[in-house]
Amino acid sequence: MSEYDLIVVGAGPGGSIAAKIGAEKGLKTIFIERGRVPGEKNSSGCGLGPRIWRDFPELMKDFIGNPTLPSQRPAKLIYSHFVDETHRLRYTEAWGPSDSVTYWPAKEWIVMACYRSDFDPWLAEFATGAGAELKTSTLVIDLLKDEKGKVCGVVTDKGEKIKGKVVIGADGVVSTVSRLSGLQYKWGKSAVTIVPQIDFKADPKKIDKVLGDACSGIWAGTDFPAAYQVWFHDGMHIGFGNWLGWYVEKKNPMSYMNTIINIPHFRKLCELTDAKPREIQVHLLPWTWNPVKTHTDNVILVGDAAGFPCPLEAEGVYPAMITAKLAVETAAKCIANGDTSKRAFDAYDDAWKISSVGIEFKGGRSLAELWRASMFDLDAMKWLVPFYHEVKGAIGDWSQPHIVRIREILAELRKYIPKLLPFALSYVVPLLSDVFEDDVEAIPQIESMIRKMMPKKKKNKVS
Ligand SMILES: Cc1cc2nc3c(=O)[nH]c(=O)nc-3n(C[C@H](O)[C@H](O)[C@H](O)COP(=O)(O)OP(=O)(O)OC[C@H]3O[C@@H](n4cnc5c(N)ncnc54)[C@H](O)[C@@H]3O)c2cc1C
């Protein structure tokens, strides 16, 4: 039976970083991937956040313009389109990095789009380059346990038994390691999303001409959950995620997809860029404000396996990479000390909680609640879309002298007060409490101000 210090299950972003750092620390490391190549089984595209460049500079220094990553396209502008119930485009806006952004490349672009079929194999090469052994086309189907019932390795679909001091579960949302180590059996209905997505092939020159600096965007409407669109060098994705429980009560996910791809403005963009559907995909993605239990004796979970995608936007590649780094740093110390117990691995939780990922989760609940109650709530979008249009778009029209327009807009906005103020109390105030954690006085003041502005309920007259 082969024996390793570190067995990493999965060669996605989390697995490759875990294997790379393990090998660099001198641990005998293997990473095992069910796909024929890393990235084969993953969502075919993604936007990479700039924190990856900030926190992994050595790794990322050769990314931009690298010919082995031909699908890359920076999002110097992100747009959002709002359509009404007739699917007429009511409002479009685009934004780029602002002056308050503190580091490169975040100053230049918001995300870098790159197909996972490019990115994952590229990343895995850093791990093999550092000396980790990669085993592909191999599914981990079971965990080896010692006489005390503690995990001490893995069993593959080829019948191999591989022993290891520590097993890192980097095997994504449907994690065999998490389930068989007893950390989590299955996701709750409101902790995991179903993400239907269509990948389109498109003409690179036309993409550049039509999109310019823009690369990704959001589509919001009143009869579909908010959708994302990402433009790559020679293709495009449209997709949307919503929680499992949401679909149970509503329609089939693909019926919303049909709605989105038939929006006239979306079709126009496809026509202008020669976009043709290439593949329909449906993925699962954890989207929760509480990562699961992350470790037990001899086992640590990273990335999606532990529920680490950002609770607001479900950015998951950076969290997978950073949690993998912290997990293996913890594991290496524990192996050196001869103690890989659950208690020794508590240091992993201490580390991720103070990391960039942990900060995201601290305010996670209020962010996720706000998102769920707006872009993903079709009833709320029925008033939020026209409200937003009125606030942001209406002032630019020439139908009246501008001062008259402002009066008209304000009169129109009054209509929204009965919906807007309770919404602000339920979702915006809790978010502000998380944001201004040190300024305890401000929040009750804002709250009481909103309450004072609330329309009074009419008293029933008693005759
Ligand atoms: C449609 C969609 C779009 C997304 N867009 C973005 C985006 O734009 N930006 C972003 O940052 N994040 C995005 N995400 C989230 C991101 O893809 C994940 O959070 C990220 O891939 C997590 O990395 P990971 O290494 O933890 O897991 P994964 O990337 O899922 O990697 C797990 C690996 O383990 C392998 N594996 C699984 N089980 C086994 C087993 N039993 N044996 C062997 N191998 C196994 C899989 O084949 C896979 O390669 C998106 C997710 C989806 C579904």
Side-chain angles (χ1 to χ4, degrees):
M1 198 185 311
S2 42
E3 282 199 41
Y4 293 84
D5 294 317
L6 199 65
I7 301 173
V8 180
V9 183
S16 287
I17 291 294
K20 172 182 179 288
I21 294 177
E24 282 170 352
K25 290 197 172 291
L27 301 176
K28 188 178 176 203
T29 302
I30 185 169
F31 61 137
I32 304 171
E33 168 57 46
R34 64 183 170 172
R36 285 168 299 180
V37 285
E40 185 189 37
K41 298 271 183 186
N42 290 339
S43 132
S44 69
C46 72
L48 303 174
R51 284 181 292 178
I52 300 177
W53 273 257
R54 183 193 66 188
D55 294 353
F56 297 91
E58 268 308 298
L59 201 74
M60 301 309 287
K61 68 179 178 355
D62 297 327
F63 181 101
I64 294 172
N66 190 317
T68 58
L69 300 159
S71 61
Q72 61 181 277
R73 192 164 196 283
K76 295 183 180 170
L77 280 176
I78 299 217
Y79 56 78
S80 45
H81 297 309
F82 289 80
V83 297
D84 64 17
E85 63 284 357
T86 66
H87 296 163
R88 185 161 63 109
L89 184 63
R90 294 297 297 274
Y91 185 72
T92 290
E93 65 184 354
W95 70 94
S98 73
D99 291 346
S100 57
V101 172
T102 51
Y103 64 93
W104 183 90
K107 279 182 173 297
E108 207 172 307
W109 41 259
I110 292 175
V111 291
M112 173 67 77
C114 182
Y115 278 115
R116 292 290 294 276
S117 50
D118 285 355
F119 183 64
D120 286 21
W122 180 78
L123 205 56
E125 276 188 19
F126 287 93
T128 50
E133 186 183 326
L134 172 62
K135 204 179 214 354
T136 51
S137 303
T138 304
L139 184 71
V140 167
I141 54 165
D142 204 355
L143 297 178
L144 284 177
K145 303 223 171 129
D146 64 16
E147 61 289 350
K148 289 187 184 146
K150 294 186 177 167
V151 173
C152 60
V154 300
V155 182
T156 74
D157 57 346
K158 316 260 179 341
E160 292 159 293
K161 293 181 175 165
I162 305 173
K163 277 195 85 177
K165 290 180 184 148
V166 174
V167 174
I168 300 284
D171 48 347
V173 54
V174 187
S175 168
T176 304
V177 177
S178 168
R179 184 169 49 86
L180 296 179
S181 63
L183 281 167
Q184 169 161 271
Y185 183 65
K186 65 175 185 181
W187 295 102
K189 282 194 298 194
S190 56
V192 69
T193 52
I194 299 182
V195 194
Q197 176 174 276
I198 302 183
D199 174 47
F200 289 74
K201 181 179 169 32
D203 181 320
K205 286 203 181 111
K206 290 185 178 168
I207 293 176
D208 281 344
K209 268 194 188 157
V210 174
L211 273 290
D213 275 348
C215 163
S216 56
I218 296 162
W219 289 81
T222 59
D223 57 354
F224 57 88
Y228 60 84
Q229 187 174 26
V230 184
W231 291 88
F232 303 88
H233 171 69
D234 64 348
M236 175 264 285
H237 274 175
I238 182 87
F240 61 92
N242 219 314
W243 290 269
L244 213 53
W246 193 86
Y247 290 117
V248 172
E249 295 157 20
K250 314 263 168 173
K251 292 189 218 160
N252 177 314
M254 287 320 282
S255 71
Y256 293 109
M257 181 60 96
N258 277 334
T259 304
I260 295 163
I261 61 175
N262 281 304
I263 292 169
H265 188 66
F266 179 85
R267 292 182 74 97
K268 187 91 203 154
L269 285 173
C270 290
E271 206 181 297
L272 290 170
T273 55
D274 273 350
K276 306 268 176 339
R278 184 159 47 184
E279 191 176 69
I280 297 182
Q281 309 156 351
V282 180
H283 297 277
L284 291 174
L285 176 66
W287 206 352
T288 172
W289 49 76
N290 284 322
V292 300
K293 276 184 258 164
T294 57
H295 58 279
T296 184
D297 294 319
N298 308 337
V299 176
I300 306 185
L301 303 180
V302 304
D304 279 15
F308 276 124
C310 158
L312 181 65
E313 293 195 67
E315 174 191 7
V317 173
Y318 169 75
M321 292 171 71
I322 208 79
T323 54
K325 175 174 179 282
L326 298 172
V328 175
E329 284 170 356
T330 307
K333 274 190 204 143
C334 293
I335 290 172
N337 294 337
D339 179 5
T340 53
S341 65
K342 178 176 183 301
R343 182 180 292 203
F345 284 168
D346 284 348
Y348 171 52
D349 276 357
D350 297 340
W352 74 255
K353 280 182 183 161
I354 56 165
S355 74
S356 205
V357 170
I359 294 169
E360 205 91 80
F361 277 98
K362 239 182 131 197
R365 188 165 196 126
S366 56
L367 283 174
E369 295 277 14
L370 176 65
W371 210 228
R372 284 176 196 219
S374 52
M375 298 290 245
F376 291 111
D377 183 327
L378 301 186
D379 289 334
M381 288 306 276
K382 286 191 174 59
W383 66 269
L384 278 169
V385 169
F387 167 76
Y388 197 63
H389 182 225
E390 203 63 43
V391 172
K392 305 254 337 216
I395 194 155
D397 89 37
W398 291 5
S399 64
Q400 297 282 7
H402 286 90
I403 202 78
V404 178
R405 272 307 286 139
I406 292 173
R407 282 185 206 125
E408 283 178 351
I409 293 166
L410 290 177
E412 181 71 11
L413 288 178
R414 283 177 70 92
K415 274 192 351 203
Y416 293 96
I417 286 177
K419 289 200 184 291
L420 187 65
L421 295 182
F423 182 86
L425 273 182
S426 303
Y427 303 109
V428 182
V429 172
L431 176 61
L432 290 176
S433 314
D434 285 335
V435 173
F436 297 109
E437 51 186 1
D438 299 323
D439 190 358
V440 282
E441 277 172 35
I443 304 305
Q445 281 166 13
I446 294 172
E447 195 172 339
S448 93
M449 204 172 74
I450 295 176
R451 285 193 193 285
K452 277 186 201 149
M453 287 163 68
M454 297 268 269
K456 303 257 178 316
K457 280 195 184 131
K458 287 191 184 118
K459 285 183 191 148
N460 288 333
K461 281 187 187 159
V462 183
S463 53

